[in-house]
Amino acid sequence: VYKRQVQQSLLPQKGLKRSGIDLSGTTLYCDETGGDYFDILESTIEEGKTGVVVGDVVGHGIGAALLMTTVRALVRSSFRQSTTPEQMMDNVNRLLYQDTEISGSFVTLFYLDIDPSSKVVHWVRAGHDPAFVINCHTGEFSELKGKGVALGVDPEWKYSCNELSLGEEPHVVLICSDGIFEATNKSGEVFGKQRVCDLFTRITDVNSDKAVDLIIEEIQSFVEGAALDDDITVAVLRIG
């Protein structure tokens, strides 16, 4: 329990609400400690710029937890340097490889930032599942895809940044780890991507805290008390 409390203390203790942004997230660990990673980043250099990160370290337990804390520190440090998103991931990847070269460990990660004044989101996908974005008015739904290998695999890999202009209408972005898709009930049925997409369309009219709660409640209801086989992380960003 103590180990879990220590790790949980490294995750954001509350969401972020500021003009044009409503952001919240949570992580459920399948073991006492885990490798999922969620963070909220606020720039002290570029006013209003906000970043959100969801990562998934290969494996479980204390080893994955220690690597997660390393990734957290590297991402935070690189974010403060106000580099571009792709340079930020290049830096993190190169430094992380020094710790993963021998062990063969790696981390999938999705990084996204938003400047509320421009309504443009930028993201880098490092081997992680795509995020989802939905227009709250039209219901138009899409995935935030992009090329990029997991962190800690190839120190020479050059990441690319993707961007999307959201316009004036409100949007919601959902970033999660693959544990949500793989959650399994007592009958052996997985929650799956389609259930996540269907659920996502039902959270466009609630704040991010409530959206996260609804998603977690839906998963827990589905598994019916069955033990989780993987960590689950959910981050919801409402823009506009």
Side-chain angles (χ1 to χ4, degrees):
V1 175
Y2 175 71
K3 293 177 183 176
R4 176 170 293 186
Q5 289 176 339
V6 170
Q7 187 170 21
Q8 289 281 1
S9 71
L10 298 177
L11 301 173
Q13 301 304 300
K14 61 180 180 179
L16 174 67
K17 291 175 173 56
R18 59 163 52 156
S19 179
I21 288 181
D22 177 14
L23 173 58
S24 186
T26 193
T27 294
L28 300 180
Y29 292 120
C30 64
D31 294 326
E32 186 176 3
T33 57
D36 265 19
Y37 158 58
F38 159 63
D39 206 0
I40 297 172
L41 308 169
E42 296 182 77
S43 176
T44 57
I45 300 174
E46 299 178 47
E47 185 176 357
K49 178 183 174 182
T50 302
V52 57
V53 187
V54 170
D56 185 356
V57 177
V58 63
H60 306 290
I62 190 65
L66 289 171
L67 192 57
M68 182 275 275
T69 60
T70 299
V71 175
R72 173 183 181 270
L74 292 175
V75 170
R76 285 192 163 197
S77 176
S78 190
F79 180 82
R80 292 192 183 100
Q81 295 171 20
S82 191
T83 57
T84 64
E86 61 269 34
Q87 290 172 334
M88 176 178 161
M89 286 300 103
D90 288 346
N91 293 338
V92 172
N93 179 54
R94 186 175 60 256
L95 292 169
L96 184 66
Y97 184 75
Q98 297 175 18
D99 292 335
T100 61
E101 180 179 6
I102 296 176
S103 67
S105 297
F106 60 88
V107 182
T108 69
L109 186 142
F110 195 101
Y111 167 82
L112 178 145
D113 66 40
I114 171 72
D115 179 353
S117 62
S118 67
K119 300 291 178 61
V120 175
V121 293
H122 300 90
W123 73 92
V124 177
R125 181 172 165 245
H128 202 81
D129 286 292
F132 305 102
V133 61
I134 189 168
N135 184 313
C136 299
H137 285 175
T138 67
E140 183 180 359
F141 174 95
S142 61
E143 292 182 275
L144 300 181
K145 301 179 180 180
K147 294 181 179 180
V149 302
L151 299 169
V153 174
D154 179 0
E156 303 303 321
W157 183 270
K158 297 299 181 185
Y159 290 88
S160 57
C161 182
N162 310 273
E163 71 173 52
L164 176 66
S165 179
L166 300 179
E168 295 304 315
E169 295 178 327
H171 287 71
V172 174
V173 177
L174 170 65
I175 312 172
C176 54
S177 61
D178 59 7
I180 189 173
F181 309 122
E182 298 168 0
T184 306
N185 63 19
K186 294 179 178 179
S187 301
E189 183 182 10
V190 298
F191 195 73
K193 189 173 183 178
Q194 188 58 53
R195 282 190 177 88
V196 174
C197 294
D198 293 343
L199 180 57
F200 184 39
T201 63
R202 307 202 320 256
I203 62 171
T204 57
D205 59 349
V206 297
N207 64 36
S208 65
D209 290 334
K210 182 63 175 177
V212 170
D213 288 343
L214 288 172
I215 293 171
I216 296 301
E217 288 169 7
E218 190 84 6
I219 294 169
Q220 291 176 330
S221 175
F222 174 80
V223 301
E224 300 174 315
L228 296 175
D229 294 324
D230 197 4
D231 305 328
I232 292 176
T233 297
V234 175
V236 175
L237 169 63
R238 187 178 181 93
I239 305 165

